[in-house]
Amino acid sequence: MMAPVLTVKDLSVRFALHESVVTAVNNLNFTLEAGETLAVVGESGSGKSQAFLALMGLLAKNGSVSGQALLGDVDLLALSKTELNQYRGRDVAMIFQDPMTSLNPALRLKQQLAEVLVLHKGQDQKQAETSAIEMLERVGIPEPAKRANAYPHQLSGGMRQRVMIAMALLCQPKILIADEPTTALDVTVQAQMLDLFKTLTEDFGTSLVLITHDLGVVAGVADRMMVMYGGRPVEKGTVDDLFYDPRHPYTLGLLHSTPHIAKRAERLDPIQGMPPSLENLPKGCAFHPRCAFAFDRCLAERPALTQLENGREKACFHEGPMRYGKVA
């Protein structure tokens, strides 16, 4: 059996505020297999983005990280900025929600794309620009040679996102991290982006981490899912397991608050209440104030992530089947 391409152990991310320290990610553990797609799901403030910004060395100045993130036998968290630059872009690449904040508005696209290959692959400028145009074509941009001469503002949002995907894949990284990559796009372009991710990761053998709050983008793309809440994972398993047999009330609530074409209900069933403040997490299970299944133990004790059958994990004291809104 092949070793995972990425192994994360006891990852914690903290931010120093004026009078306190906030833990945004608390003892996160997971593996990523070669060629698989892992969806990391949760509401804003769940810690999902900060965990992967930490892996990339992109935390804010007041942030600190502990634990291990093993890319093969290399601990990314133990590297200096100079050492980490050798791996960022080449072995691990990240795509952000808004490509306009990642692309330089003053440079033509071919210059920005070529820079990646000059830096990491040692190609000369002309060779790198040729490779960049070929990748633009690969990600479905029409007239790639013409588009390569354009500036970012001259492209639509969907086209700019394709440029970011092309840039991330130029060095054929082992891991591609996509942070809310479809949020700013309309539904049709979202579907195109997800199909593109699936095709390209299969073609290149790249492992994909898809960070999202939208379960609608997970089905049909991801292999496994990790649901986060309050800085911790609360359920892990295959996408089929979590979609058809959720074992944590938060996962169940996310599913019921997602529109579904087969449901003719006039209204969605949103999770009541608001996500907790990381500065002041409730005692016991962080989800208990919003949970229809909570009982006395949940208010006093924080459930650990425990192993279930078939490699599944959950952090919940409730046992037995669930129906949304009440215990089955």
Side-chain angles (χ1 to χ4, degrees), residues 14-249:
R14 298 177 178 86
F15 291 96
L17 304 182
H18 292 297
E19 297 180 353
S20 63
V21 175
V22 172
T23 301
V25 181
N26 199 330
N27 288 323
L28 177 63
N29 293 272
F30 70 91
T31 59
L32 182 65
E33 304 297 329
E36 81 163 336
T37 296
L38 172 68
V40 183
V41 178
E43 294 167 289
S44 296
S46 63
K48 58 189 188 299
S49 293
Q50 295 302 330
F52 291 91
L53 289 172
L55 299 187
M56 298 294 288
L58 297 175
L59 289 177
K61 290 183 178 180
N62 64 332
S64 62
V65 59
S66 61
Q68 288 185 306
L70 299 173
L71 180 68
D73 57 358
V74 176
D75 184 1
L76 297 176
L77 303 184
L79 300 178
S80 67
K81 286 187 177 180
T82 302
E83 292 170 330
L84 187 56
N85 280 336
Q86 299 175 23
Y87 293 90
R88 275 193 307 216
R90 187 192 70 187
D91 295 296
V92 186
M94 192 164 185
I95 302 168
F96 299 95
Q97 178 176 338
D98 183 3
M100 281 301 282
T101 62
S102 305
L103 294 169
N104 188 328
L107 293 178
R108 297 183 190 276
L109 296 173
K110 67 180 181 182
Q111 294 172 274
Q112 301 184 56
L113 290 162
E115 183 181 15
V116 177
L117 292 170
V118 171
L119 178 64
H120 291 296
K121 296 295 187 181
Q123 295 185 7
D124 60 44
Q125 186 69 22
K126 186 176 180 180
Q127 182 185 12
E129 288 184 6
T130 299
S131 298
I133 291 170
E134 291 173 353
M135 184 59 76
L136 289 177
E137 183 176 18
R138 192 79 179 268
V139 299
I141 291 183
E143 300 181 283
K146 178 181 177 180
R147 302 287 185 182
N149 279 303
Y151 292 94
H153 72 272
Q154 295 176 306
L155 274 64
S156 67
M159 286 295 177
R160 287 195 293 265
Q161 196 64 281
R162 287 176 187 267
V163 170
M164 290 304 303
I165 295 171
M167 185 181 292
L169 290 172
L170 276 171
C171 292
Q172 299 185 23
K174 296 175 182 176
I175 301 170
L176 178 61
I177 301 166
D179 189 2
E180 301 278 9
T182 63
T183 299
L185 306 175
D186 65 50
V187 176
T188 302
V189 180
Q190 279 189 21
Q192 293 172 353
M193 288 295 105
L194 295 172
D195 285 343
L196 181 61
F197 277 128
K198 190 169 184 179
T199 299
L200 291 174
T201 50
E202 288 173 355
D203 290 350
F204 289 105
T206 299
S207 301
L208 174 65
V209 177
L210 186 60
I211 303 170
T212 183
H213 67 277
D214 184 358
L215 288 182
V217 308
V218 172
V221 177
D223 302 301
R224 287 192 298 130
M225 197 158 83
M226 177 167 66
V227 181
M228 293 189 66
Y229 189 83
R232 297 170 181 265
V234 295
E235 187 167 10
K236 299 179 188 177
T238 68
V239 168
D240 284 349
D241 281 343
L242 269 64
F243 265 67
Y244 294 107
D245 184 25
R247 301 293 181 86
H248 195 282

